[in-house]
Amino acid sequence: IPNIMGVLPGMTAFATALMKSKMEKLEVPPVREYLQMLVDAGAKLYACKMSVDMMDLNMDDFVDGVQGIVTAGDFMDMTEGAQIIFI
């Protein structure tokens, strides 16, 4: 769907429903469940400080398992040489 379509009323809800439908057909778990699977497997989750600040969030807004809120620079220092997955 072209980005310009986002200005149409109801397009966000339509796009969300479309993505959920495609995920169900592919048997992809919902995001919250997927994140819990990652935590259960030993992954370490961190929230981006800039996004947290922009969206006026705090640690209570995140799923259990998010270990902290870090800046991009802190994240790069913490993960030097590590296997990283961005979601």
Side-chain angles (χ1 to χ4, degrees), residues 32-60:
R32 186 170 294 275
E33 183 180 333
Y34 185 67
L35 290 173
Q36 190 60 54
M37 289 168 58
L38 289 171
V39 170
D40 292 346
K44 296 178 182 178
L45 304 179
Y46 297 94
C48 170
K49 178 148 178 45
M50 184 184 301
S51 297
V52 167
D53 291 346
M54 286 179 10
M55 301 302 290
D56 197 27
L57 301 171
N58 60 56
M59 283 296 291
D60 295 332

Side-chain angles (χ1 to χ4, degrees), residues 8-73:
L8 297 175
M11 187 52 69
T12 299
F14 170 75
T16 300
L18 179 65
M19 290 300 294
K20 284 183 178 181
S21 171
K22 289 185 177 285
M23 288 173 67
E24 286 175 8
K25 287 179 185 172
L26 294 172
E27 298 181 4
V28 174
V31 172
R32 186 170 294 275
E33 183 180 333
Y34 185 67
L35 290 173
Q36 190 60 54
M37 289 168 58
L38 289 171
V39 170
D40 292 346
K44 296 178 182 178
L45 304 179
Y46 297 94
C48 170
K49 178 148 178 45
M50 184 184 301
S51 297
V52 167
D53 291 346
M54 286 179 10
M55 301 302 290
D56 197 27
L57 301 171
N58 60 56
M59 283 296 291
D60 295 332
D61 296 313
F62 297 104
V63 297
D64 291 339
V66 172
Q67 296 187 1
I69 300 169
V70 298
T71 66

